[in-house]
Amino acid sequence: MKKSITLLAAIALISCQKDNWETTVTSPNGKNAIHFNLTADGIPNYVVMHNNKTVIDTSSMAFDFKDQNPFKNGFEIVNTQMDAMDETWEMPWGEQREVRNHYNGLLVQLQERETPNRRLHIHFKAYDDGVAFRYEFPEQEGLESLTIMDEHTEFQLTGDHTAWWIPGDWDIYEHLYSTTKVSEIDALSKRNDPNLAATYIPENAVNTPVTMRTDDGLHLSFHEANLTNYSGMTLKVDSKNLILTSELVGSERQGHKAKVTLPFKTPWRTIQIADKATELIDSKLIVNLNEPNVLGHVSWFTPMKYNGIWWEMHIEKGTWDYGMEMDENGVWQDVGKAHGKHSATTENTKKYIDFAADNGLGGVLVEGWNTGWERWIGFEDREGVFDFVTPYPDYDIKTLATYAKEKGVELIMHHETSAATGTYEKQLDTAYSLMKDLGIHSVKTGYVGKIIPKGEYHHGQYMVNHYRKVLETAAKYEVAINAHEPIKATGLRRTYPNAISREGLRGQEFNAWATDGGNPPGHLPIVAFTRMLSGPIDFTPGAFDMALPTKPNNQINTTLAQQLALYVVIYSPIQMACDLPENYEGQPAMQFIRDVGVDWEQSKVLNGEVGDFVTIAREEYETGHWFVGAITDENARNITIDFDFLEDGKNYKALIYRDADDAHYRNNPEALIIENMEIKKGDSKNFPLKEGGGLAISLMKE
C-alpha cells in the first residue's frame, strides 16, 4: 500500500494594505497570470495571461438569486490575501505515484458598497499548467442560504479557436466529438440522437472538458474541479462575440440551479494551458484542486484487469433478463417463462472466472444477475423494479463468490438503477452489506434513462448529491465505484479514492449497436485530450473480433493493434478485456493483455496532436516494467519513439505489437505483427501506424 507523503508544504498568507490591494497572481514559473479588476461600476472581472500574452480577455463574473438582488455590480475590495503551496502528495493508485501541488494564490474579498453585509470572496490559483478560481459565499448577517438561479462566469476568448466539443447535454456525455471553430459550434444540431437513452440540450452550449487550440498553437481546456453540492457546469457559446458563459444544469422540479447553505464554496472553474497538446495530458490541475484523501488507506481495492458477462449481450448472443414477471405486490416471480437466453448463469459465470484465472485477470463483472431486467428501460415508472440483493433463479451468487475467491479472482458487482434513484438509495446499505459479506469490493453502477424523480437531470445538483451519497456509503463498506451514466469526473478521486473510474463518454459498446456505424477512428485521439483530462475512463478495450458477426451493420473501427494500445493510452485503474473468452483463445496478442499494468509509477506523453494521434509510455508500479501505446485516427502515419525514459544501464526485453503492412481498420483490422527486440535507454525507433491503427509495446526490465 502506498502511503501519503508530503515532501514540502509551505503556506503563506499575506494581507495587503487598504487602497493598495494586490490583484494579480502569477504561477511559480511566471508563465501564467490572473489579473482581477473592478470596473468603475464595481463589476468583478478578470484577465488570464500566458507568457505575457492575453489568452482570456476581460471577463465578468455575476450571480442571479431567487428572492435576493443579484451579485453583479456595486462591489468594492475590502481585503486581499496572497497564499502559496508547494507539496507532493501520493496517489494510492493512478497515472503516477507522486503528484506535485504547486501554486500561488490570491483571495479577493468583496462587499457591496451600498449593503456591506452582502459579501463575496473569489479565490484564484495560478499553476504552471493552468489557472483556476472559485467563488466563496461567507456567512452573512440575515442570510442562511442562497437559491442560485444562474451563475454568469464569462470566458472571453481572444480568437476563433479550433474547438473539440460535445453539446451541453444535461443528461448524458455520450456524444461524438465535433471539431469546429468556436463560431461554428452548433449544439442544437445534436438533439434527438436515436442512440441515447436520455438527452436534453436546451441551448447552444458545450459540456466540459472542452479543448481548444489557438491559431498560434496554444492549447486551452476548460473544465471544473471539486464539484460538490452544486450543479454541473456547461458553457453557453456566444459564437459572434466568442464568449463562453457558465450555464448550470437546472432542475424543472425545483425551479432553480442550486440551493446552498452558507458558508459555501463553488466548484473551481479551471483552464488548463499548454504550449503543446501533450502537456494537457501531463497536467494534474484538476486533481490538485480537490481536498486530500479523507478515506485513509484503500488497500481493499486493487487495480486490476477484468473480463465479464457484458459484451455478449451487446452483440445479442444473450440477454440481461431471465423471463420473470412481476406480481400485483411488486415481487418478481418465476412463472415458467424463462426464455433460455439469459447470460448471467452460474455455469456461464464459472467459464468467465476460469478464463480470468488462467490469464491473470483479477475480476469478473457480471451484468444481469439480479431481478428486474424485464422492466429496466422503456417504462415511465421504474421505481421498485430492481432488487440489488436478489439473484435470478439460475445465478448462485454465494457459490460463485466462493468459487472466484478459490481461483484468485474477485466478482465485480453490477447495479443498474435505470435512473430510479429512490429505489437505489433505499437499498444502498443492504446492497453494500451483501457485497462486503461476499468479499466483493467494487461495483459498476448504471443510470440508463431519464432520471426519476421527473424534472431532474443527470448533471444537476440533485444527482451530484446522489452520486456523492453513493460514493460515501460505498466507502463505509469498503466498496469502490465505477459509475456509468455518471456526473463528470472533477478530480474527486483524490478525496475519495474509491471513485475508481467512470464512463461519461461514448464507449466501446456503441460499436456494437449504434445506428451511425459505431465510433469513428478519430474518436479516441480526441478523447485523450478532452474527456481523459477529467479523470479515469472505463472504456472497456480489448475487442479482438472486429467484424461482429452477429451485428452485420456494425464493426469496430480500429485495428487489433489499437485495441491493445488502448490499455496504455486510455487510463483507468480497472481495464476490461471486453471480448468473449473464445475470441481470445489461441491469440498471441492476448499476451499483451496478460502483461500490461494497470497501476503506474509514472507516465510520459511522448507525442501527439488533438484528434490525430497520441503516444503514451507508463512505468508499472513496483516492477519497473514499461508499456507504450500509440493510436492514430483514420490517417496512416509514422511515429518515432525515443526511449530516453528508460532506466539508464538497464536492458529491456521488448515485445512489439504493431499493425501489419496491409492492416486497415475497415477491411483488414486484425492483421498484426509481433516482434521481439532488445531496447535500452537512448534508442530511437520508427513505427508505422496504419489507418485506424495503433502500436503496443511491453518493455520488461531484465
Side-chain angles (χ1 to χ4, degrees), residues 498-568:
N498 67 322
I500 52 174
S501 197
R502 70 191 69 207
E503 191 182 38
L505 84 165
R506 193 167 141 139
Q508 181 89 284
E509 70 267 23
F510 277 77
N511 291 319
W513 43 256
T515 58
D516 55 13
N519 300 328
H523 179 55
L524 291 171
I526 296 176
V527 164
F529 297 95
T530 51
R531 162 64 182 86
M532 197 169 77
L533 304 185
S534 67
I537 299 174
D538 187 34
F539 182 77
T540 62
F544 275 31
D545 185 354
M546 309 299 171
L548 304 179
T550 63
K551 307 286 288 189
N553 296 321
N554 290 78
Q555 70 173 52
I556 296 173
N557 296 312
T558 74
T559 66
L560 176 56
Q562 182 172 130
Q563 287 290 314
L564 299 178
L566 295 178
Y567 286 93
V568 183

Side-chain angles (χ1 to χ4, degrees), residues 251-315:
S251 167
E252 294 175 3
R253 182 172 70 103
Q254 301 179 76
H256 58 247
K257 300 296 180 67
K259 186 172 183 179
V260 300
T261 300
L262 304 190
F264 181 77
K265 299 175 181 178
T266 71
W268 295 93
R269 278 62 189 100
T270 66
I271 310 171
Q272 287 159 281
I273 305 172
D275 293 311
K276 299 186 298 182
T278 55
E279 294 170 353
L280 290 175
I281 302 175
D282 292 330
S283 171
K284 290 295 172 282
L285 179 71
I286 303 303
V287 287
N288 272 329
L289 288 163
N290 282 262
E291 299 300 319
N293 182 352
V294 297
L295 300 184
H297 77 85
V298 288
S299 55
W300 37 265
F301 165 69
T302 303
M304 69 174 74
K305 291 163 285 188
Y306 70 100
N307 68 345
I309 298 172
W310 172 78
W311 188 242
E312 64 181 73
M313 288 88 95
H314 284 286
I315 62 173

Side-chain angles (χ1 to χ4, degrees), residues 3-184:
K3 298 179 180 178
S4 178
I5 60 172
T6 298
L7 299 180
L8 174 64
I11 304 176
L13 295 177
I14 305 169
S15 188
C16 299
Q17 299 297 314
K18 189 173 182 179
D19 299 326
N20 188 29
W21 307 118
E22 181 63 63
T23 57
T24 298
V25 62
T26 303
S27 63
N29 66 4
K31 286 188 174 184
N32 298 321
I34 316 169
H35 305 282
F36 176 78
N37 185 48
L38 287 177
T39 68
D41 294 328
I43 300 173
N45 62 73
Y46 71 98
V47 174
V48 178
M49 309 285 289
H50 177 72
N51 287 335
N52 297 314
K53 183 177 180 179
T54 301
V55 294
I56 300 295
D57 214 335
T58 304
S59 301
S60 64
M61 310 157 122
F63 283 88
D64 287 334
F65 306 113
K66 181 179 181 181
D67 301 326
Q68 295 280 335
N69 290 329
F71 273 175
K72 184 178 181 181
N73 54 21
F75 282 104
E76 62 181 359
I77 299 176
V78 295
N79 195 22
T80 64
Q81 292 180 328
M82 305 297 293
D83 64 281
M85 172 71 76
D86 190 358
E87 67 172 357
T88 297
W89 57 278
E90 188 165 315
M91 288 182 165
W93 49 264
E95 306 95 315
Q96 61 198 60
R97 183 167 59 88
E98 294 183 348
V99 178
R100 188 181 185 188
N101 182 22
H102 191 198
Y103 68 84
N104 293 323
L106 168 67
L107 179 67
V108 179
Q109 299 176 348
L110 305 173
Q111 70 180 24
E112 289 186 339
R113 296 168 185 153
E114 301 300 324
T115 50
N117 63 314
R118 282 167 51 89
R119 293 175 291 136
L120 173 67
H121 300 170
I122 308 174
H123 195 180
F124 298 92
K125 291 185 177 181
Y127 288 81
D128 293 345
D129 53 343
V131 299
F133 58 88
R134 71 177 176 190
Y135 305 99
E136 302 179 1
F137 299 100
E139 291 183 343
Q140 315 198 16
E141 183 180 346
L143 191 62
E144 294 183 354
S145 65
L146 286 171
T147 301
I148 298 171
M149 304 304 290
D150 268 309
E151 175 195 321
H152 304 285
T153 299
E154 289 186 350
F155 302 86
Q156 174 64 70
L157 305 178
T158 58
D160 194 7
H161 308 327
T162 300
W164 291 269
W165 58 274
I166 57 173
D169 197 319
W170 287 12
D171 255 330
I172 202 164
Y173 306 112
E174 295 173 16
H175 291 266
L176 285 174
Y177 281 86
S178 296
T179 305
T180 70
K181 293 292 188 179
V182 172
S183 63
E184 299 168 343

Side-chain angles (χ1 to χ4, degrees), residues 320-424:
W320 284 273
D321 72 288
Y322 172 87
M324 299 182 80
E325 292 186 359
M326 181 181 281
D327 65 21
E328 63 274 9
N329 296 315
V331 178
W332 288 103
Q333 301 289 347
D334 183 4
V335 294
K337 294 184 178 180
H339 47 60
K341 298 179 181 178
H342 182 225
S343 289
T345 67
T346 300
E347 180 183 5
N348 197 29
T349 304
K350 284 185 175 181
K351 181 180 76 171
Y352 278 84
I353 292 170
D354 291 343
F355 177 83
D358 291 343
N359 289 279
L361 308 182
V364 174
L365 168 71
V366 184
E367 294 198 7
W369 69 274
N370 59 318
T371 59
W373 286 91
E374 287 80 3
R375 288 187 47 147
W376 80 288
I377 195 169
F379 296 86
E380 284 294 321
D381 184 10
R382 302 182 305 281
E383 291 285 14
V385 168
F386 274 117
D387 182 328
F388 302 101
V389 297
T390 304
Y392 278 126
D394 57 353
Y395 186 79
D396 188 337
I397 189 170
K398 292 183 179 180
T399 295
L400 287 168
T402 300
Y403 184 80
K405 185 176 181 180
E406 291 171 350
K407 293 276 189 172
V409 175
E410 184 175 304
L411 290 182
I412 298 173
M413 188 62 81
H414 183 241
H415 291 164
E416 175 54 60
T417 70
S418 67
T421 59
T423 295
Y424 194 40

Side-chain angles (χ1 to χ4, degrees), residues 5 9 26 41 94 150 153 174 192 196 219-220 246 267 290 354 375 427 471 607 612 643-644 646 653 677 687:
I5 60 172
T26 303
D41 294 328
D150 268 309
T153 299
E174 295 173 16
N192 304 316
L196 302 178
H219 294 80
L220 308 171
S246 61
N290 282 262
D354 291 343
R375 288 187 47 147
Q427 297 186 54
L471 194 62
N607 52 52
D612 295 335
F643 291 90
D644 293 337
L646 297 176
K653 182 179 180 181
M677 66 176 63
F687 299 97

